[in-house]
Amino acid sequence: MARNLLNCFFYNIITRQKPLNRQFLNLLVLFCFWQGLYSQHSAQKLAYPVNTDDLDEICPVVSGDNGILFFTRVADPNCEKTLIVDGVDISLTLPADEYRDKLRKVYSQIANRLIADPYASTYNQDIWYTKLVEGVPHGIFHPGYPINDALPNSICSGYGAANAYLVINRFSKTGGIDRGFSVSEMERGDFSFPEPLLIDGFNKSGSEVNLTAASDSSVVILAMKDDDGSGGMDLYVCFRLGPDRYSQPVNMGPSLNTEWRESTPVLSQDLKKIYFTSDRPGGLGKGDIYCSERKDFTYTSWSRPVRLNPPVNSPYDDSHPHVGRDGDIFYFTSNREGSSDIFKAKLKREKLPREISVTITVINGTTGKTCQAELTWGEAYQDLRPGYFRARDGKAKYIFYENKPMVFKAANRDLYSDEVIIDPQ
């Protein structure tokens, strides 16, 4: 059995070096780089108060003017308590214990199972938002009724007009929810009562479906499990028939849909690309974000989906993509740091201002001495490793001319290293 020989250590040439691991082989990588580079592509977890340590923040949606970032917070005990029953807000009329018991029964009815603690339940979902000033979050806001109440609430997409949004579920002013989606408009921080969005032949509950709308509201895309699907959740397109009314869902075809789960779709602003989450084989984690390009006007012919590279995707659950108006700023949800949080990344890589030189040294971890090895390399996250160099003195030099992450691997007879990815960012 081949042993793992190489441990990877990255050193900026101006930093203090850490002691080498003396087990097997070590890979010492020295960078000669231009100090003006900064991270354009790195994923950044948004700071508190957007993200919290112990609660889940999901479903990022940016307003049409890029001025507001909406998100959904789950199981917050400081949730909106309004619960309308027969036209009366019982959060104002019942004692706290009786209200809690009533809410537990409501959630249990929605879930078709016993919900012991309604406040800790995933059905406790509220819409929150922060204002974006030059892309940086400022402040935290928790709107009240009618956009939030004690029932599950979440903005899933912008909707045509600059201040209109699609929210999960359909609501009645006398109380209760029904399956489907609604439209609400925001003006000066206040939201209108959500009005139904009509989709012909649609009868799925909010727990079984995701939805997004085109920037011009010409189509909406559903992710749902249906009898004519491939097995798991699939992507469907619905075409606008009139104001707030759409056609029966049409399966978007085998280019996008698999026997696995496709969910949380979003269209780019120019409607030429779709981003979505899938747990199909070949991913890095339990869920990964993919991108595909539309081939024609039908919305049923798409290119082969490409999995986004790290740092967007990770060995954890990455989902709920949302791409900004410029097609570059990218928000998504990930649980890579424990609870689910909102992250921000950039999709586009700028050209390198000049070449970056990397020197690689292979060191025998047992003796601590440089040793010869065969090095292979290629573009990271791809199957091919076209580069090859025999390092007779255990040293090699690689020059980055393009802003692409590369993967390196060393071997010495029947001993192999881990793959080491170096990103010029």
Side-chain angles (χ1 to χ4, degrees):
M1 178 181 296
R3 289 180 292 165
N4 181 4
L5 287 183
L6 240 66
N7 295 317
C8 179
F9 293 83
F10 293 90
Y11 294 92
N12 178 326
I13 60 175
I14 63 174
T15 62
R16 184 178 61 188
Q17 295 187 0
K18 300 177 182 179
L20 289 175
N21 184 339
R22 292 288 179 178
Q23 186 178 11
F24 306 119
L25 290 183
N26 300 299
L27 187 64
L28 180 64
V29 183
L30 298 180
F31 294 88
C32 299
F33 60 94
W34 184 57
Q35 294 284 357
L37 282 176
Y38 59 97
S39 179
Q40 294 281 344
H41 197 66
S42 299
Q44 172 192 9
K45 177 182 171 180
L46 299 188
Y48 178 86
V50 173
N51 288 313
T52 56
D53 291 335
D54 55 344
L55 299 176
D56 288 336
E57 285 79 30
I58 59 175
C59 304
V61 174
V62 177
S63 62
D65 61 1
N66 285 341
I68 297 176
L69 170 64
F70 298 95
F71 60 94
T72 301
R73 182 168 287 165
V74 182
D76 188 341
N78 297 315
C79 57
E80 173 62 38
K81 301 298 194 298
T82 300
L83 182 60
I84 306 297
V85 177
D86 295 329
V88 176
D89 179 8
I90 64 171
S91 71
L92 303 177
T93 61
L94 292 182
D97 289 346
E98 292 184 29
Y99 169 81
R100 184 188 184 99
D101 185 60
K102 180 64 176 179
L103 185 60
R104 179 184 60 80
K105 292 178 180 178
V106 170
Y107 283 0
S108 298
Q109 183 179 6
I110 295 173
N112 281 323
R113 58 183 175 84
L114 177 64
I115 300 295
D117 184 353
Y119 293 128
S121 166
T122 57
Y123 290 93
N124 174 10
Q125 300 180 9
D126 270 3
I127 297 164
W128 293 68
Y129 69 89
T130 183
K131 293 183 178 179
L132 298 175
V133 180
E134 296 183 351
V136 179
H138 282 69
I140 192 75
F141 303 90
H142 183 206
Y145 184 80
I147 195 67
N148 280 320
D149 59 14
L151 302 172
N153 308 285
S154 181
I155 287 179
C156 47
S157 176
Y159 183 62
N163 296 315
Y165 300 93
L166 296 180
V167 299
I168 62 172
N169 300 318
R170 293 167 64 177
F171 302 85
S172 168
K173 292 183 179 181
T174 59
I177 59 172
D178 199 0
R179 62 189 64 184
F181 299 90
S182 302
V183 183
S184 179
E185 295 188 19
M186 180 183 185
E187 185 175 356
R188 297 180 180 179
D190 295 324
F191 288 84
S192 64
F193 191 88
E195 298 294 338
L197 181 80
L198 303 177
I199 300 175
D200 289 0
F202 176 78
N203 61 356
K204 300 294 180 182
S205 69
S207 62
E208 299 173 304
V209 67
N210 314 133
L211 177 140
T212 191
S215 56
D216 62 359
S217 68
S218 59
V219 300
V220 296
I221 307 295
L222 289 165
M224 64 181 186
K225 187 173 182 179
D226 206 4
D227 294 338
D228 67 343
S230 302
M233 289 181 70
D234 283 332
L235 302 180
Y236 294 78
V237 60
C238 308
F239 297 92
R240 183 172 56 199
L241 300 177
D244 300 342
R245 183 186 173 192
Y246 289 84
S247 69
Q248 187 167 338
V250 176
N251 191 291
M252 296 177 73
S255 297
L256 295 182
N257 293 319
T258 67
E259 61 182 296
W260 305 88
R261 179 184 175 92
E262 283 74 44
S263 62
T264 65
V266 66
L267 288 166
S268 60
Q269 292 292 307
D270 61 9
L271 313 185
K272 294 180 180 179
K273 294 181 180 179
I274 188 170
Y275 298 84
F276 62 95
T277 307
S278 180
D279 61 354
R280 65 187 62 188
L284 296 176
K286 296 180 179 179
D288 290 283
I289 297 171
Y290 290 78
C291 178
S292 179
E293 296 189 11
R294 184 161 59 94
K295 292 183 177 181
D296 57 28
F297 65 92
T298 65
Y299 282 88
T300 57
S301 180
W302 297 83
S303 66
R304 182 181 65 85
V306 175
R307 188 192 71 228
L308 299 190
N309 290 333
V312 172
N313 283 317
S314 72
Y316 299 90
D317 280 319
D318 305 296
S319 63
H320 296 90
H322 182 88
V323 62
R325 185 171 54 187
D326 61 359
D328 186 12
I329 300 299
F330 189 83
Y331 294 91
F332 63 100
T333 301
S334 179
N335 65 357
R336 64 190 63 183
E337 295 191 15
S339 62
S340 291
D341 293 300
I342 307 298
F343 285 75
K344 177 183 177 181
K346 289 174 73 72
L347 292 176
K348 299 176 183 177
R349 287 175 173 262
E350 296 181 357
K351 291 182 179 180
L352 294 179
R354 62 183 67 179
E355 66 186 38
I356 297 177
S357 175
V358 178
T359 300
I360 301 171
T361 303
V362 182
I363 299 173
N364 187 305
T366 302
T367 66
K369 296 181 179 180
T370 302
C371 65
Q372 68 176 7
E374 295 179 350
L375 294 170
T376 56
W377 62 81
E379 187 175 340
Y381 318 114
Q382 307 295 325
D383 294 332
L384 296 178
R385 299 286 185 269
Y388 173 82
F389 180 77
R390 179 169 292 174
R392 297 185 183 279
D393 59 354
K395 295 184 178 181
K397 184 177 182 179
Y398 181 83
I399 298 177
F400 285 88
Y401 297 101
E402 296 183 88
N403 193 352
K404 293 182 178 180
M406 302 294 290
V407 60
F408 298 81
K409 188 173 184 177
N412 186 327
R413 298 182 180 178
D414 62 338
L415 304 176
Y416 302 91
S417 73
D418 288 330
E419 290 187 342
V420 176
I421 294 176
I422 302 176
D423 192 329
Q425 289 289 142

